[in-house]
Amino acid sequence: MTDRQAPAIRAEDLRKEYGRKVAVRRLSLSVPVGTIFGFLGPNGAGKSTSIKMLLDLVRPTSGRATVLGAPAGDVETRRRIGFLPEHFRFYDWLTPPELLRLHGRLCGMSAVRLRERVPALLDLVGLTPHRDKRLWEFSKGMMQRAGLAQALVHEPDLVFLDEPTSGLDPMGRRLVRDIIRAERDRGATVFLNSHLLSEVEVTCDQVAFIRDGEIVASRDLRDDGSGRVGVVARVRNLSAHALAGLGAWTSDAALEGDELRFSVPSAIVLPDVLRHLVGAGADVSSFAPQRTSLEELFVRIVGEDRGL
Amino acid sequence: MGWATMAGVTIREAARKRLLWTALVVAVGFLVLFGLALHYQVQDFAARSTIPFLRYQIVSAMLMIGLYVVDLLAVLMTILTSVETISGEIASGTIQAIAIKPVPRWQLLCGKWVGSAVMVLAFVALTFGGTIVVAWWMGGVVPEHPLQGGLLVSLECLLALAVTFAAGTWFSTLTNGVLVLGLFGLAFMGGWLEQMSGFTESARLVTIGIVTSLIMPSEALWRRAVFEMQTPLAGALPFSPFATVSIPSATMIGYAVCYLLVALGVAVWHFHARDL
Ligand SMILES: Nc1ncnc2c1ncn2[C@@H]1O[C@H](COP(=O)(O)OP(=O)(O)OP(=O)(O)O)[C@@H](O)[C@H]1O
Ligand SMILES: [Mg+2]
């Protein structure tokens, strides 16, 4: 992933109105190649509409989007894109291998390549035992697995997954997580819509929060070293001198009883801070960097549920 | 080619949902019934020693009735089986995973249309051709221009197909069905009114007939098919679906072809432009 490379997705002021209802107000985002991008927001925020605009399923009222360097919807570029829709409905009179072959063929895959790819993919999503069933016999989660396989059959460079785990059991969720990571390791970019923050937290490299059709915040989740980190420590016998010495790393150290709070610009310096405290003769019984969980962040950014 | 894949999928879907089999059973059932009726009629001829001229006219009339039913059946089947093709896929969302594939939307729609058209044409060939073969085999009667007749009936079905597809890009399945059946019902009514005008010599009824034929030229195609196929005497019966009081012109056929192409064009355009 180099800076010279064009982003996998770039949206500029995308807007979609349905009659008087504004589904997406002003969507601008840029997703670098090779990242797992999480798109978060409350129900009705405009996540699915945004994905559909990037896929040219829905025509924006205004604004522009480029996907893999071409205008959204470019027919040739679609060969390199996979999509699991939110309401994963496929021709249910097909068996899973037939479904994959159909979608592979539509993507221009050769019969030879499909012959090896289809069984491997069915195996990956755990549908091999059900390969002879019609999709109309499938449960929701099985259907979703078939849909996931469908989105990946042609080894796309960019995959859009609209709530890929909504119907899955815990094993299925873990499977999706592993598949998403494997896709990234392969070099693909993944655009993920989800409500499951804990999952997004462990899978995504970047997240953006959307509310009322507008991105209200975005975060890079990979930077464990950089980014401000708050620390809460339990410390006894902390001399005034040692407290003042913390000024080398922080300007907001505060001691209340034996609870010491401060924040540092980066987690990289934390070992040094701890060594300083211990070296100065303080008894440190706990030392806890406070990473705001995505859920806290979500609630803080998106606000309390005010009803839809 | 993407459209060929979609055409294949459309036919395969009909086969999987046992639509093809059911249609085949209906067609065969119809032909058996028709053949049985002719068989008894011919036996009666022998018992009553009817004169050959009259025999020929009666069998001809029965043939035209058979073909008329084939025409109605084929058009209704066309509408019924295609009414869900576009609107159903949009409503259920199955189109979404398909429409993002590297196949232009016009190919998706045209592929489905071609797949449906192949099945409709096969149905017409079986029932229309079957009826003519049965009449020839059992009654020794062959219509005047069976090929022209068959082509006109096929054109009528393809017209129904194109209109149903076009409406399907706008309306839900049920609304689509009501709309298209309504249009064809209108044309049906207009055709009868025009026939009646020949009887009552009312110029205003003729105008109504022509206007409805312009709104939906399906019935005009049938009346032209009758004109092409029938024996002179049957044509002289003044008031029947087989009467040729007011014969649709060749221009009307050209109009129907244009109508079909425009309907298909509208379907492609709107399917391309709309949100899925
Ligand atoms: N076809 C449509 N016609 C009218 N309004 C629509 C249409 N599709 C979506 N909307 C509206 O646009 C807004 C955004 O919908 P969207 O489906 O993008 O939300 P979402 O973020 O995906 O929600 P969820 O988390 O529930 O899936 C909603 O208020 C919805 O009511
Ligand atoms: Mg959604």
Side-chain angles (χ1 to χ4, degrees):
Chain A
M1 186 181 37
T2 62
D3 287 330
R4 283 174 288 116
Q5 208 166 0
I9 302 171
R10 187 206 296 279
E12 288 163 39
D13 295 331
L14 280 185
R15 180 182 179 87
K16 181 64 187 179
E17 297 167 8
Y18 288 109
R20 288 174 53 205
K21 163 89 198 164
V22 181
V24 172
R25 198 170 301 279
R26 239 183 65 227
L27 182 81
S28 297
L29 56 77
S30 169
V31 178
V33 169
T35 43
I36 305 178
F37 187 86
F39 204 43
L40 308 175
N43 291 128
K47 302 182 295 294
S48 299
T49 307
S50 300
I51 282 199
K52 286 187 197 163
M53 282 195 286
L54 294 174
L55 286 164
D56 197 41
L57 285 173
V58 160
R59 303 282 150 81
T61 310
S62 62
R64 293 189 326 130
T66 50
V67 175
L68 296 174
D74 177 72
V75 170
E76 269 313 302
T77 312
R78 285 195 230 155
R79 206 177 289 281
R80 298 160 56 204
I81 295 175
F83 174 43
L84 173 65
E86 179 175 31
H87 306 289
F88 37 91
R89 294 278 302 274
F90 309 101
Y91 298 140
D92 58 7
W93 40 274
L94 294 171
T95 63
E98 287 170 340
L99 177 83
L100 297 187
R101 278 200 295 272
L102 168 64
H103 284 264
R105 263 212 317 282
L106 286 173
C107 291
M109 291 174 75
S110 71
V112 177
R113 197 164 148 225
L114 278 168
R115 247 199 304 282
E116 73 184 76
R117 181 83 178 131
V118 167
L121 209 49
L122 286 176
D123 216 33
L124 180 71
V125 298
L127 286 179
T128 305
H130 307 287
R131 51 173 303 136
D132 295 325
K133 282 188 187 161
R134 297 285 164 80
L135 292 183
W136 65 48
E137 298 172 64
F138 271 29
S139 71
K140 182 180 175 188
M142 285 156 77
M143 195 75 164
Q144 203 159 13
R145 286 166 187 248
L148 193 65
Q150 164 276 134
L152 302 176
V153 65
H154 53 303
E155 300 188 296
D157 295 334
L158 173 61
V159 196
F160 290 92
L161 304 173
D162 199 345
E163 299 185 27
T165 53
S166 62
L168 296 182
D169 54 29
M171 294 307 295
R173 289 188 181 172
R174 163 172 282 175
L175 180 81
V176 168
R177 201 157 68 211
D178 292 345
I179 289 176
I180 290 175
R181 285 191 182 143
E183 286 301 306
R184 181 195 41 198
D185 294 345
R186 192 169 63 74
T189 309
V190 181
F191 190 104
L192 177 70
N193 267 6
S194 185
H195 294 294
L196 293 166
L197 298 170
S198 52
E199 274 190 24
V200 169
E201 196 160 19
V202 292
T203 340
C204 290
D205 303 318
Q206 279 186 27
V207 294
F209 294 89
I210 180 172
R211 188 182 64 191
D212 296 335
E214 215 164 355
I215 291 193
V216 286
S218 48
R219 285 281 182 284
D220 200 323
L221 299 182
R222 277 168 313 183
D223 60 344
D224 307 315
S226 66
R228 235 181 152 69
V229 182
V231 176
V232 179
R234 299 218 162 264
V235 183
R236 263 189 231 142
N237 302 325
L238 182 63
S239 64
H241 177 71
L243 185 61
L246 286 174
W249 299 281
T250 174
S251 55
D252 60 358
L255 187 66
E256 252 186 70
D258 53 7
E259 188 179 270
L260 173 68
R261 288 175 171 270
F262 62 92
S263 68
V264 290
S266 162
I268 294 171
V269 302
L270 288 178
D272 294 335
V273 177
L274 186 56
R275 259 194 297 276
H276 163 77
L277 291 174
V278 175
D283 301 328
V284 181
S285 55
S286 90
F287 189 87
Q290 307 290 295
R291 199 164 186 269
T292 16
S293 77
L294 211 49
E295 188 160 338
E296 277 174 68
L297 208 59
F298 186 86
V299 171
R300 208 162 71 211
I301 291 171
V302 172
E304 301 293 335
D305 197 340
R306 296 153 304 160
L308 299 175
Chain B
M1 283 302 278
W3 70 267
T5 307
M6 289 317 288
V9 163
T10 309
I11 294 175
R12 201 142 55 112
E13 174 171 17
R16 281 287 165 84
K17 292 184 169 170
R18 301 206 178 85
L19 186 64
L20 291 187
W21 277 112
T22 315
L24 188 67
V25 168
V26 168
V28 170
F30 170 81
L31 290 177
V32 166
L33 181 68
F34 183 65
L36 212 59
L38 268 183
H39 174 71
Y40 288 139
Q41 188 61 65
V42 169
Q43 277 186 345
D44 279 0
F45 288 155
R48 292 180 197 159
S49 44
T50 316
I51 56 165
F53 174 75
L54 201 52
R55 283 187 190 198
Y56 187 81
Q57 293 305 336
I58 290 176
V59 174
S60 294
M62 285 181 75
L63 171 61
M64 290 316 283
I65 292 173
L67 292 180
Y68 188 51
V69 174
V70 163
D71 175 69
L72 286 181
L73 198 64
V75 169
L76 283 179
M77 290 265 190
T78 304
I79 296 174
L80 214 61
T81 53
S82 61
V83 71
E84 209 193 358
T85 311
I86 301 297
S87 56
E89 284 220 26
I90 294 174
S92 72
T94 52
I95 198 68
Q96 289 181 10
I98 301 282
I100 65 127
K101 295 293 188 288
V103 178
R105 281 197 198 174
W106 70 265
Q107 282 198 23
L108 297 180
L109 187 121
C110 289
K112 279 177 159 290
W113 191 83
V114 168
S116 303
V118 166
M119 292 187 283
V120 164
L121 292 180
F123 185 77
V124 171
L126 180 65
T127 49
F128 196 89
T131 306
I132 286 175
V133 167
V134 167
W136 163 75
W137 183 40
M138 313 210 67
V141 169
V142 178
E144 282 294 303
H145 302 289
L147 191 65
Q148 278 92 325
L151 287 177
L152 284 166
V153 170
S154 302
L155 179 59
E156 190 184 349
C157 290
L158 295 185
L159 179 66
L161 194 62
V163 172
T164 312
F165 266 56
T169 65
W170 262 283
F171 305 107
S172 71
T173 301
L174 205 57
T175 315
N176 186 6
V178 170
L179 180 76
V180 178
L181 279 178
L183 264 180
F184 277 76
L186 192 80
F188 191 63
M189 183 73 191
W192 274 91
L193 291 178
E194 204 177 332
Q195 294 292 353
M196 208 153 148
S197 70
F199 198 51
T200 60
E201 290 175 359
S202 158
R204 276 177 291 185
L205 282 192
V206 175
T207 311
I208 287 183
I210 291 172
V211 169
T212 48
S213 294
L214 288 177
I215 295 174
M216 171 46 69
S218 58
E219 193 66 14
L221 290 176
W222 164 249
R223 293 207 329 269
R224 180 75 193 195
V226 171
F227 167 69
E228 296 288 344
M229 291 187 295
Q230 78 189 163
T231 58
L233 183 69
L237 298 173
F239 190 62
S240 76
F242 323 114
T244 47
V245 177
S246 165
I247 304 150
S249 59
T251 316
M252 190 50 102
I253 298 173
Y255 176 74
V257 172
C258 293
Y259 197 111
L260 187 159
L261 293 176
V262 168
L264 206 54
V266 165
V268 164
W269 164 76
H270 190 239
F271 186 64
H272 177 79
R274 68 162 289 161
D275 294 340
L276 293 177

